[in-house]
Amino acid sequence: MWSFYFNELMRSLPFFLKGLWMTVAVAGLSLIAATIIGFILGIVRASKNKILRSIIGAWVDLIRGTPFLVQVFIVFFILPSAGIELEAFPAAVIALSNMGASFICEIVASGILAVPQGQREAATASGLSSFQQLRFIVLPQAMRSIIPPLVGQYVLIIKDSSVVSAIGVVDVTRVGWLTVQRIPEGLMVFGLVGILYFAICYPLINLSNYMERRMTVTATRL
Amino acid sequence: MISFKNVNKWFGELHVLKDINLEVTHGEVVVVCGPSGSGKSTLIRCINRLEPIQKGELVIDNMNVHDKKINMTKIRAEIGFIFQSFNLYPHMTALENVTIAPIRVRKIPKEEAKKLGREILTRVGLGERIKSYPAQLSGGQQQRVAIARGLCMRPKIMLFDEPTSALDPEMINEVLDVMRDLAKGGMTMMVVTHEMGFAREVANRVVFMDDGKIIEVAPPKDFFINPQTDRGKFFLSSILKH
């Protein structure tokens, strides 16, 4: 019986790959949007403007303190009552981007604040503007401490994207749920789902580990 | 050139600069000395508004530095500042460190800035190290790059905040030599330092500070041989013991 189900599962592989492609699409778009938004918010969060820092801080705490599933439901089910109707795919990307941006914001802000104050003073004393200081002096140095956790955050976004199957996005997790209804071997089906997630996350995990080691060695040499 | 008029500064409740009145003329070398916490570093940091003041006026070439409407970029471009901890940009080579401000602030074309950078790095004895990163340089070399970084902006004034305090003794002279050359070349300089030999040799005046106030201002010859105040005498007796 087991070999029968295994063969059925292998015949369903194209369906899983289509689901995987949806996962890559949702996670990929969210990753890009979260990075852009997260960087902008992170730069503002590390600035001297107390009001903006507090507003962003409150938003970050709210997003990081609530379950992602709840956030997805709010975007998909609650927003229509405010007149904002969204299909499942855009709702998924918006919710995942929003969550990813909140974490990336903190990673970026921490990286910027970790650059020694003396660097900013030297740049200020030379007459460089705030924008020039950020672009030429602070951000290049901050990237050293931003990139490893940022890549790690990308892995988390990919894994968290599995939650969007709850609002009907046919990603690889949802394909798993649909398949297990006709191939009642949960371990086999979700084992395959796990392997497919691992296949896209593992290169990023390795990249994050490599970058962390490399940044540590470079920092030690300095 | 630099004029302090009743300058007062507080850090919160702490009154760190008290009724500072001081004039520094063009081409003058002024050494500022005093015990720790006397306000020496704060004094020079106020000149290019790295620290704001709360009362009084600080005027450079008829421009009130602490007026909120003033263009600080223009003023800072005329003032080189050398930090105790060098503050070189670690991700840039020596040449890049010294040329970034001329290119981005003075808008000098890149090739012209690089030529200037090479000349000035050679002048401070680092012509062979233009492609080195700060981590590859000794402390003395890093401080000389920092001085070159200031000089590449062709400033009118150079400020030094304890430039040799973070250096090993064998590297101090190489930095002081560069500073001596600058002084001989007519640069207007204010130097916070404990290097009394340098002060004796190069300074036009010594400003002695204690507890946020200027206690004594005198030519080095007069200050070191015959300090007028008890606090000045006590300070000199404690440092000259070493």
Side-chain angles (χ1 to χ4, degrees):
Chain A
M1 205 61 189
W2 188 91
S3 62
F4 169 74
Y5 286 138
F6 183 78
N7 291 335
E8 281 297 304
L9 189 63
M10 289 302 108
R11 281 194 352 188
S12 304
L13 209 52
F15 193 28
F16 276 91
L17 292 177
K18 216 171 160 190
L20 186 66
W21 174 242
M22 180 59 82
T23 293
V24 167
V26 170
L29 285 173
S30 303
L31 225 133
I32 293 167
T35 303
I36 295 169
I37 298 166
F39 260 86
I40 294 169
L41 292 175
I43 289 167
V44 176
R45 182 106 164 97
S47 74
K48 289 181 188 161
N49 190 318
K50 280 185 190 160
I51 297 168
L52 286 177
R53 275 201 334 248
S54 303
I55 294 170
I56 294 170
W59 168 80
V60 164
D61 288 344
L62 180 68
I63 299 302
R64 297 200 322 172
T66 49
F68 179 50
L69 185 63
V70 169
Q71 294 168 34
V72 169
F73 283 162
I74 287 172
V75 172
F76 189 63
F77 292 118
I78 311 295
L79 284 189
S81 55
I84 307 169
E85 295 264 0
L86 290 166
E87 300 279 333
F89 182 85
V93 170
I94 287 169
L96 196 55
S97 304
N98 184 45
M99 187 204 65
S102 72
F103 283 91
I104 291 172
C105 166
E106 290 299 283
I107 290 169
V108 169
S110 300
I112 289 173
L113 292 171
V115 174
Q117 180 62 15
Q119 293 292 296
R120 282 185 201 76
E121 287 193 342
T124 301
S126 299
L128 291 167
S129 67
S130 299
F131 176 74
Q132 288 170 330
Q133 287 180 38
L134 190 67
R135 187 178 157 203
F136 297 113
I137 308 301
V138 175
L139 264 183
Q141 293 184 64
M143 290 309 283
R144 204 183 287 282
S145 47
I146 287 171
I147 287 176
L150 182 67
V151 176
Q153 188 59 41
Y154 290 163
V155 173
L156 295 174
I157 289 174
I158 293 168
K159 291 194 300 179
D160 285 339
S161 72
S162 61
V163 170
V164 303
S165 57
I167 55 168
V169 175
V170 187
D171 68 335
V172 71
T173 302
R174 187 140 182 96
V175 169
W177 280 116
L178 294 169
T179 307
V180 86
Q181 284 161 44
R182 56 180 183 83
I183 303 176
E185 284 287 341
L187 182 60
M188 194 190 299
V189 172
F190 284 102
L192 177 61
V193 170
I195 286 167
L196 291 171
Y197 272 111
F198 187 75
I200 49 175
C201 289
Y202 187 61
L204 278 175
I205 293 168
N206 272 344
L207 180 63
S208 175
N209 289 341
Y210 167 73
M211 294 186 103
E212 204 156 354
R213 276 196 310 272
R214 198 161 157 206
M215 301 297 182
T216 310
V217 167
T218 315
T220 311
R221 271 204 222 116
L222 287 174
Chain B
M1 191 162 208
I2 305 172
S3 177
F4 289 79
K5 290 174 187 162
N6 293 322
V7 166
N8 282 267
K9 179 181 171 58
W10 286 262
F11 282 123
E13 299 281 317
L14 190 65
H15 196 178
V16 295
L17 290 177
K18 301 170 184 170
D19 299 320
I20 303 290
N21 288 284
L22 180 68
E23 302 279 332
V24 178
T25 55
H26 178 76
E28 201 180 2
V29 177
V30 171
V31 162
V32 184
C33 65
S36 275
S38 56
K40 321 183 285 294
S41 294
T42 309
L43 182 84
I44 66 161
R45 286 165 65 89
C46 290
I47 296 173
N48 66 351
R49 216 163 88 186
L50 281 179
E51 300 288 352
I53 61 173
Q54 283 77 42
K55 206 171 155 195
E57 258 189 4
L58 210 168
V59 177
I60 296 176
D61 278 354
N62 299 319
M63 288 187 285
N64 183 350
V65 167
H66 291 262
D67 181 354
K68 294 224 167 8
K69 293 181 214 143
I70 207 108
N71 181 352
M72 274 315 294
T73 301
K74 210 173 150 208
I75 294 182
R76 285 176 177 142
E78 303 295 340
I79 303 173
F81 197 102
I82 311 306
F83 297 86
Q84 181 178 344
S85 50
F86 332 135
N87 289 339
L88 293 182
Y89 310 130
H91 59 298
M92 293 183 178
T93 62
L95 188 62
E96 286 163 348
N97 258 277
V98 307
T99 53
I100 179 152
I103 292 168
R104 299 291 167 188
V105 180
R106 289 236 191 256
K107 311 286 185 208
I108 293 173
K110 270 193 185 148
E111 285 313 311
E112 197 183 316
K114 281 183 180 175
K115 186 168 171 244
L116 174 67
R118 277 186 220 107
E119 270 169 30
I120 292 189
L121 282 167
T122 305
R123 188 173 144 194
V124 302
L126 291 169
E128 305 294 311
R129 305 302 301 266
I130 62 171
K131 288 189 181 162
S132 298
Y133 286 89
Q136 297 166 320
L137 301 171
S138 70
Q141 289 171 329
Q142 288 188 56
Q143 195 60 300
R144 284 187 275 150
V145 173
I147 295 173
R149 183 172 64 179
L151 291 176
C152 277
M153 289 293 279
R154 299 279 192 223
K156 291 181 186 161
I157 300 164
M158 287 284 280
L159 305 175
F160 296 81
D161 184 4
E162 303 205 38
T164 58
S165 295
L167 298 177
D168 290 336
E170 65 268 25
M171 292 179 199
I172 291 175
N173 274 330
E174 65 191 68
V175 173
L176 292 181
D177 285 342
V178 171
M179 291 168 67
R180 274 189 203 96
D181 281 340
L182 275 180
K184 281 180 192 153
M187 177 64 76
T188 309
M189 292 163 63
M190 272 189 86
V191 185
V192 174
T193 186
H194 297 296
E195 296 293 331
M196 296 297 112
F198 172 83
R200 249 194 278 248
E201 189 191 328
V202 171
N204 298 110
R205 280 187 296 160
V206 172
V207 172
F208 171 65
M209 287 186 72
D210 193 10
D211 193 30
K213 288 189 189 147
I214 291 178
I215 306 297
E216 228 178 297
V217 182
K221 194 168 61 174
D222 297 340
F223 178 70
F224 289 116
I225 294 170
N226 189 22
Q228 298 296 301
T229 59
D230 289 339
R231 275 142 108 188
K233 286 174 189 160
F234 179 74
F235 173 73
L236 283 176
S237 68
S238 43
I239 60 164
L240 293 173
K241 270 181 200 155
H242 296 286

